Amino acid sequence: MEEINEAELQSESLERLLHLVEMVNNILKDEELLKAISKLVVSEETFLIIDRLPQLIKLIEQLTRQENLEKIELMLSLLQSLDKQMLEKLSNAFKAIKAEEKVKPMSISKMITTLSEPEVSKGLNVMLNLLKALGS
Amino acid sequence: MINMAEKKKFLIVGGGAGGAILANSLVKDFDVTVINDSPYHYYWPQLLQIAFRNDYSNLYRSLSSLLVKGVNLVIDRVKKVDLQDRIVTLSNNKTMNYDYVAIAPGVTIEHKGIDGNEKLVEQYGDFHSTPQNASKVFDVVSNMKKGTFVIAVGDPYHRCPPSPYEGILLADEVFRLRGVRNDINMILAVPYPRAYPAETFNEVLEPILKERGINVMTFFTADKIDTENKKITSLEGEELSYDAAIVVPVHKGPKIEIKPDDAINQDGFINADKFTNQILKYDDAFAIGDASTSANAKTGVTAHLQAKVVSKRVLGLDARNTGRTNCPTELGFEKGTFVISDYNHPAAKVPANTINFIMKRLFADAYWDIIRHPEFWDPIFDVYFENTQPEVLWKLFR
């Protein structure tokens, strides 16, 4: 009786092995699947990753240090709190400064007039709030 | 160990994905018999591979090779199921009684449900009915040189919801590889207000169709086909000319008499509870898969998940369907995506990429092993379904 059970178990194991072989065979015969896997593995991006792997590992090691993780989280929450429109305006302002080759000197009367413009006073207000927050 | 004499009789009508997985999951605890009208089990998604790639490799296996030792197999057609008297009648009028029954025979394809579709299928084939018809599609796409190629939907409740989209995109791939795409106008005609019925998934699909130059005709439910003048008329009253066309046929419930009469709806589908698969008040009778009204998508994965729910319920566990769908969708050029939704979430915006194509193909290549060895695959699928819940994917792919 025990011998029969043992034989049955062995035949079941063999059958399971054959089924697994059939599945692997299906995968190996699937030309399109293998093509897709090859394209994914052999690509410009994977070569780049392999080439810079030592630097990447070093960077990951630095980034995942507890103190750095906390800083990154703070940076992320700062990013989330930033207004997209305001950032766009800031970026445009920087671009305008870069585009202006020479900064013309401004007279005191012109400066006072400019300070009274609503757009400028709004900008100053933002700057003051930021400075206040940094000082608190 | 339960003796055979003590085991309750569990009859399963149909040996498709749902029926076979249910049988293999229950054999330790029940005296299980599967009744199927064919000695073969067909993997229906392969019809698309035949139609657009002439690939027959995964089409069928003998059903006996998929059922584990101890499951009884009867090859015969079931004529009648009497839920009141617990009797199943076979084509030769032989009867079988049961303690539990699960009805999972799949759908009946009715080409005549759309006027002219029988003739159209003879000419151009389709990819929802038979391998022979899928083979006709391959002849069309590999020989067409110019003109208008149409795929139209006549029945929104067809098997494999993404199949018309897969069909048109795979046809596009064939035409491009043959270098004739510029001379072929491709049209996908659908009954919905947009290309894909679920708005969220449409956001994934529509840009792909646009990029590939496929014209989408909305609010077009194919109703009548004039094969002589090569025109399809929709229920909405529009007309569409074609040079070659495939119209997704009407799907009906199984051709089995089920008593009492209110167990089936007007289209022949079996009225089953969407959470438990139980038929009406009969706690010993279940309907699973495409034949049941409980399937919110007519796919093998839905049948698989329903089979698992039924197998747990008959063992006394309170398992319930979540309405989870998991339709792997091939888009051509080694890109794929998944239609994943449940009762509470419409399809998530799963992006089209190569990884999803690889996942889709791995599912297909592992299909026979998944049927044969639920004990091996169940823990893997439990993790997969848990980690890819629509709720999770909705947050991930906004």
Side-chain angles (χ1 to χ4, degrees):
Chain A
M1 195 65 175
E2 262 181 31
E3 270 176 25
I4 293 170
N5 283 343
E6 187 63 29
E8 257 181 33
L9 278 174
Q10 278 183 0
S11 116
E12 274 173 23
S13 304
L14 196 65
E15 204 177 53
R16 182 72 193 102
L17 195 68
L18 285 173
H19 292 159
L20 284 173
V21 169
E22 188 192 338
M23 183 174 66
V24 174
N25 192 32
N26 279 346
I27 292 168
L28 293 178
K29 279 198 297 188
D30 194 335
E31 280 178 38
E32 273 182 292
L33 171 67
L34 297 180
K35 198 170 141 192
I37 294 172
S38 312
K39 271 188 185 173
L40 203 70
V41 175
V42 188
S43 72
E44 220 173 285
E45 291 81 6
T46 48
F47 282 142
L48 190 80
I49 292 170
I50 292 165
D51 184 47
R52 299 194 186 163
L53 203 57
Q55 290 105 303
L56 284 170
I57 291 171
K58 206 174 166 188
L59 189 67
I60 291 168
E61 191 276 322
Q62 281 176 348
L63 288 173
T64 50
R65 280 183 202 158
Q66 191 55 37
E67 68 271 21
N68 287 339
L69 276 177
E70 280 165 15
K71 283 178 198 164
I72 291 166
E73 270 169 28
L74 281 170
M75 291 288 283
L76 283 173
S77 64
L78 177 72
L79 268 177
Q80 275 163 2
S81 68
L82 287 176
D83 183 56
K84 201 183 159 193
Q85 278 180 330
M86 179 64 77
L87 278 173
E88 274 170 7
K89 278 182 189 172
L90 261 173
S91 144
N92 289 338
F94 283 126
K95 276 181 202 158
I97 292 167
K98 218 177 173 185
E100 196 79 35
E101 276 184 10
K102 283 178 189 171
V103 180
K104 287 174 192 166
M106 197 183 272
S107 66
I108 293 183
S109 61
K110 180 84 192 284
M111 197 181 281
I112 292 166
T113 322
T114 311
L115 280 172
S116 64
E117 279 174 19
E119 289 301 312
V120 176
S121 62
K122 246 199 303 185
L124 274 174
N125 201 24
V126 171
M127 290 298 287
L128 284 171
N129 281 338
L130 191 68
L131 289 169
K132 258 194 225 169
L134 285 171
S136 67
Chain B
M1 176 93 91
I2 305 167
N3 288 327
M4 206 60 162
E6 292 167 16
K7 284 183 173 179
K8 289 191 171 176
K9 277 188 196 170
F10 204 122
L11 285 190
I12 300 171
V13 179
I21 286 175
L22 183 63
N24 290 344
S25 304
L26 289 174
V27 69
K28 279 184 193 156
D29 303 291
F30 291 87
D31 172 14
V32 182
T33 301
V34 174
I35 311 164
N36 200 50
D37 57 3
S38 154
Y40 302 105
H41 172 117
Y42 285 87
Y43 175 62
W44 294 116
Q46 193 67 22
L47 293 187
L48 273 164
Q49 301 300 324
I50 294 172
F52 300 102
R53 297 205 163 98
N54 203 27
D55 175 8
Y56 288 76
S57 58
N58 260 345
L59 180 63
Y60 67 89
R61 296 284 186 276
S62 81
L63 182 54
S64 59
S65 75
L66 301 176
L67 299 173
V68 301
K69 207 177 146 193
V71 174
N72 308 300
L73 175 62
V74 174
I75 305 298
D76 205 338
R77 191 175 62 79
V78 170
K79 250 169 67 175
K80 187 178 167 184
V81 179
D82 190 328
L83 301 174
Q84 196 71 50
D85 295 333
R86 293 178 166 182
I87 292 172
V88 169
T89 310
L90 305 180
S91 67
N92 55 8
N93 289 327
K94 191 186 157 195
T95 58
M96 296 173 86
N97 58 2
Y98 62 81
D99 295 304
Y100 289 99
V101 70
I103 312 177
V107 291
T108 310
I109 301 288
E110 275 198 8
H111 287 111
K112 62 182 179 194
I114 297 169
D115 193 10
N117 203 16
E118 275 176 300
K119 217 169 174 184
L120 188 80
V121 169
E122 269 176 39
Q123 293 175 312
Y124 305 108
D126 71 14
F127 45 87
H128 281 90
S129 55
T130 63
Q132 291 75 21
N133 286 335
S135 166
K136 282 181 194 165
V137 175
F138 185 73
D139 286 342
V140 172
V141 293
S142 42
N143 290 306
M144 192 171 176
K145 291 189 178 89
K146 59 179 183 176
T148 301
F149 178 83
V150 172
I151 292 184
V153 177
D155 176 11
Y157 304 105
H158 56 81
R159 203 157 45 194
C160 185
S163 55
Y165 311 93
E166 290 185 282
I168 200 90
L169 288 163
L170 293 180
D172 168 77
E173 185 187 32
V174 176
F175 293 146
R176 280 177 198 273
L177 293 174
R178 286 184 48 231
V180 294
R181 180 63 180 91
N182 288 341
D183 300 318
I184 295 174
N185 173 29
M186 298 186 77
I187 301 174
L188 175 69
V190 292
Y192 324 114
R194 58 189 82 86
Y196 197 85
E199 203 173 345
T200 44
F201 191 70
N202 190 57
E203 286 176 33
V204 175
L205 202 63
E206 211 169 73
I208 297 167
L209 293 166
K210 206 174 168 186
E211 190 192 320
R212 305 267 287 268
I214 293 159
N215 300 305
V216 178
M217 203 164 170
T218 54
F219 294 115
F220 190 99
T221 314
D223 182 43
K224 211 173 180 180
I225 304 154
D226 177 353
T227 47
E228 277 184 22
N229 295 305
K230 295 193 163 187
K231 271 180 189 162
I232 306 171
T233 311
S234 72
L235 268 176
E236 296 81 357
E238 296 279 319
E239 250 186 22
L240 182 56
S241 296
Y242 65 84
D243 291 294
I246 296 157
V247 172
V248 176
V250 169
H251 290 47
K252 296 271 186 191
K255 295 261 179 264
I256 297 173
E257 186 187 351
I258 295 172
K259 291 284 172 194
D261 292 337
D262 60 344
I264 54 167
N265 73 9
Q266 72 278 8
D267 290 321
F269 293 103
I270 305 157
N271 289 318
D273 184 83
K274 71 175 188 174
F275 295 110
T276 64
N277 294 96
Q278 184 179 310
I279 306 173
L280 304 174
K281 60 181 184 196
Y282 301 93
D283 61 3
D284 54 1
F286 304 89
I288 55 177
D290 298 354
S292 134
T293 55
S294 62
N296 61 339
K298 297 191 187 309
T299 71
V301 175
T302 306
H304 179 164
L305 291 172
Q306 291 184 339
K308 297 313 293 183
V309 165
V310 171
S311 70
K312 285 175 186 165
R313 290 193 74 80
V314 292
L315 290 173
L317 301 168
D318 184 27
R320 280 166 182 268
N321 294 309
T322 59
R324 169 69 190 260
T325 65
N326 191 79
C327 308
T329 307
E330 215 169 303
L331 308 164
F333 299 104
E334 293 113 32
K335 292 273 187 297
T337 179
F338 280 75
V339 182
I340 295 179
S341 64
D342 62 21
Y343 290 140
N344 299 320
H345 302 86
K349 288 190 263 182
V350 180
N353 56 36
T354 307
I355 296 272
N356 285 333
F357 170 81
I358 292 171
M359 288 278 288
K360 192 253 172 194
R361 281 301 179 89
L362 287 175
F363 268 126
D365 292 328
Y367 178 76
W368 307 111
D369 207 66
I370 294 167
I371 300 274
R372 281 177 187 134
H373 298 284
E375 79 291 347
F376 175 80
W377 289 96
D378 282 353
I380 297 170
F381 279 124
D382 284 348
V383 172
Y384 170 79
F385 286 122
E386 180 69 28
N387 291 342
T388 58
Q389 279 183 67
E391 201 180 346
V392 175
L393 299 181
W394 263 77
K395 283 179 195 156
L396 203 61
F397 307 118
R398 289 175 198 213

